[in-house]
Short mmCIF file of all heavy atoms in Angstrom, two decimals:
data_model
loop_
_atom_site.label_atom_id
_atom_site.label_comp_id
_atom_site.label_asym_id
_atom_site.label_seq_id
_atom_site.Cartn_x
_atom_site.Cartn_y
_atom_site.Cartn_z
N CYS A 5 -4.92 -8.72 -4.25
CA CYS A 5 -5.62 -8.05 -5.40
C CYS A 5 -6.86 -9.09 -5.80
O CYS A 5 -6.67 -10.34 -5.66
CB CYS A 5 -4.76 -8.02 -6.63
SG CYS A 5 -3.47 -6.78 -6.49
N ILE A 6 -7.94 -8.54 -6.26
CA ILE A 6 -9.00 -9.35 -6.66
C ILE A 6 -9.23 -9.13 -8.14
O ILE A 6 -9.14 -8.12 -8.70
CB ILE A 6 -10.27 -8.76 -5.97
CG1 ILE A 6 -10.16 -8.71 -4.43
CG2 ILE A 6 -11.59 -9.51 -6.26
CD1 ILE A 6 -9.80 -10.06 -3.75
N GLY A 7 -9.33 -10.27 -8.82
CA GLY A 7 -9.55 -10.29 -10.20
C GLY A 7 -11.08 -10.62 -10.49
O GLY A 7 -11.77 -11.18 -9.63
N ARG A 8 -11.51 -10.22 -11.65
CA ARG A 8 -12.91 -10.64 -12.12
C ARG A 8 -14.04 -10.27 -11.03
O ARG A 8 -14.72 -11.20 -10.69
CB ARG A 8 -13.08 -12.06 -12.43
CG ARG A 8 -11.96 -12.40 -13.53
CD ARG A 8 -12.00 -13.92 -13.87
NE ARG A 8 -10.84 -14.20 -14.59
CZ ARG A 8 -10.45 -15.50 -15.02
NH1 ARG A 8 -11.23 -16.57 -14.68
NH2 ARG A 8 -9.40 -15.71 -15.69
N HIS A 13 -16.28 -6.30 -17.05
CA HIS A 13 -14.98 -6.46 -17.28
C HIS A 13 -14.70 -8.01 -17.62
O HIS A 13 -13.85 -8.23 -18.44
CB HIS A 13 -14.06 -6.11 -16.06
CG HIS A 13 -12.60 -6.37 -16.22
ND1 HIS A 13 -11.81 -5.91 -17.27
CD2 HIS A 13 -11.70 -7.14 -15.44
CE1 HIS A 13 -10.58 -6.35 -17.06
NE2 HIS A 13 -10.52 -7.05 -16.03
N PHE A 28 -4.96 -12.70 -6.15
CA PHE A 28 -3.53 -12.76 -6.28
C PHE A 28 -2.74 -11.68 -5.57
O PHE A 28 -3.51 -10.84 -5.04
CB PHE A 28 -3.14 -12.75 -7.89
CG PHE A 28 -3.61 -11.44 -8.53
CD1 PHE A 28 -2.77 -10.35 -8.73
CD2 PHE A 28 -4.89 -11.33 -9.01
CE1 PHE A 28 -3.16 -9.18 -9.28
CE2 PHE A 28 -5.37 -10.21 -9.70
CZ PHE A 28 -4.44 -9.11 -9.81
N LYS A 30 0.59 -8.93 -4.88
CA LYS A 30 1.74 -8.24 -5.34
C LYS A 30 2.60 -8.02 -4.16
O LYS A 30 2.08 -7.67 -3.07
CB LYS A 30 1.31 -6.86 -5.95
CG LYS A 30 0.49 -6.88 -7.22
CD LYS A 30 0.30 -5.43 -7.64
CE LYS A 30 -0.90 -5.33 -8.73
NZ LYS A 30 -0.35 -5.19 -10.13
N GLU A 54 -5.51 -0.81 -15.16
CA GLU A 54 -6.85 -1.26 -14.62
C GLU A 54 -6.97 -0.31 -13.40
O GLU A 54 -6.27 -0.56 -12.34
CB GLU A 54 -6.67 -2.80 -14.04
CG GLU A 54 -6.51 -3.75 -15.13
CD GLU A 54 -6.57 -5.27 -14.72
OE1 GLU A 54 -6.76 -5.40 -13.48
OE2 GLU A 54 -6.65 -6.13 -15.58
N VAL A 55 -7.96 0.48 -13.38
CA VAL A 55 -8.12 1.41 -12.23
C VAL A 55 -9.09 0.64 -11.20
O VAL A 55 -9.93 -0.16 -11.51
CB VAL A 55 -8.92 2.68 -12.63
CG1 VAL A 55 -10.33 2.54 -12.99
CG2 VAL A 55 -8.91 3.78 -11.51
N GLU A 56 -8.67 0.80 -9.91
CA GLU A 56 -9.37 -0.07 -8.76
C GLU A 56 -9.54 0.66 -7.56
O GLU A 56 -8.64 1.65 -7.20
CB GLU A 56 -8.54 -1.25 -8.52
CG GLU A 56 -8.11 -2.08 -9.79
CD GLU A 56 -7.91 -3.43 -9.73
OE1 GLU A 56 -7.86 -4.00 -8.62
OE2 GLU A 56 -7.57 -4.05 -10.72
N ILE A 84 -3.96 1.89 -9.64
CA ILE A 84 -3.91 1.09 -10.81
C ILE A 84 -3.11 -0.29 -10.63
O ILE A 84 -2.15 -0.24 -9.95
CB ILE A 84 -3.08 1.88 -11.88
CG1 ILE A 84 -3.84 3.20 -12.30
CG2 ILE A 84 -3.02 0.87 -13.18
CD1 ILE A 84 -3.22 4.02 -13.34
N ASP A 85 -3.79 -1.30 -11.09
CA ASP A 85 -3.07 -2.55 -11.17
C ASP A 85 -2.67 -2.68 -12.60
O ASP A 85 -3.34 -3.17 -13.50
CB ASP A 85 -4.31 -3.61 -10.78
CG ASP A 85 -3.77 -5.04 -11.27
OD1 ASP A 85 -2.69 -5.39 -11.41
OD2 ASP A 85 -4.76 -5.93 -11.45
N PHE A 86 -1.42 -2.30 -12.92
CA PHE A 86 -0.83 -2.46 -14.26
C PHE A 86 -0.66 -3.98 -14.49
O PHE A 86 -0.11 -4.72 -13.65
CB PHE A 86 0.55 -1.76 -14.35
CG PHE A 86 0.34 -0.25 -14.69
CD1 PHE A 86 0.95 0.65 -13.80
CD2 PHE A 86 -0.24 0.22 -15.78
CE1 PHE A 86 0.84 1.98 -14.05
CE2 PHE A 86 -0.34 1.60 -16.09
CZ PHE A 86 0.15 2.52 -15.14
N THR A 87 -1.06 -4.38 -15.71
CA THR A 87 -1.00 -5.84 -16.10
C THR A 87 -0.36 -5.96 -17.45
O THR A 87 -0.79 -5.25 -18.44
CB THR A 87 -2.50 -6.29 -16.07
OG1 THR A 87 -3.06 -6.00 -14.94
CG2 THR A 87 -2.48 -7.71 -16.50
N LYS A 106 1.63 -9.47 -13.36
CA LYS A 106 0.83 -8.58 -12.32
C LYS A 106 1.71 -8.01 -11.26
O LYS A 106 1.17 -7.02 -10.62
CB LYS A 106 -0.26 -9.42 -11.82
CG LYS A 106 -1.44 -9.77 -12.79
CD LYS A 106 -2.44 -8.70 -12.74
CE LYS A 106 -3.82 -9.06 -13.29
NZ LYS A 106 -4.68 -7.92 -13.44
N PHE A 171 -6.69 -4.36 -3.56
CA PHE A 171 -7.13 -3.81 -4.75
C PHE A 171 -8.37 -4.64 -5.10
O PHE A 171 -8.44 -5.85 -5.20
CB PHE A 171 -6.06 -4.07 -5.94
CG PHE A 171 -4.92 -3.26 -5.93
CD1 PHE A 171 -4.09 -2.88 -4.82
CD2 PHE A 171 -4.70 -2.37 -7.12
CE1 PHE A 171 -3.04 -1.97 -5.00
CE2 PHE A 171 -3.75 -1.53 -7.21
CZ PHE A 171 -2.82 -1.25 -6.17
N THR A 172 -9.63 -3.91 -5.27
CA THR A 172 -10.86 -4.62 -5.30
C THR A 172 -11.33 -5.01 -6.61
O THR A 172 -12.52 -5.34 -6.83
CB THR A 172 -11.88 -3.75 -4.54
OG1 THR A 172 -11.97 -2.41 -5.18
CG2 THR A 172 -11.53 -3.44 -3.03
N GLY A 173 -10.46 -4.89 -7.67
CA GLY A 173 -10.84 -5.38 -8.95
C GLY A 173 -11.18 -4.10 -9.92
O GLY A 173 -11.47 -3.01 -9.35
N THR A 174 -11.15 -4.42 -11.21
CA THR A 174 -11.35 -3.27 -12.18
C THR A 174 -12.70 -3.45 -12.91
O THR A 174 -13.13 -4.41 -13.23
CB THR A 174 -10.23 -3.23 -13.13
OG1 THR A 174 -10.20 -1.99 -13.74
CG2 THR A 174 -10.23 -4.29 -14.19
ZN1 LIG B 301 -6.94 -5.90 -11.57
#
Side-chain angles (χ1 to χ4, degrees):
C5 301
I6 306 301
R8 302 181 195 172
H13 173 60
F28 57 95
K30 290 182 192 261
E54 295 189 353
V55 73
E56 313 205 355
I84 297 179
D85 164 23
F86 276 120
T87 304
K106 288 277 200 184
F171 277 59
T172 58
T174 196

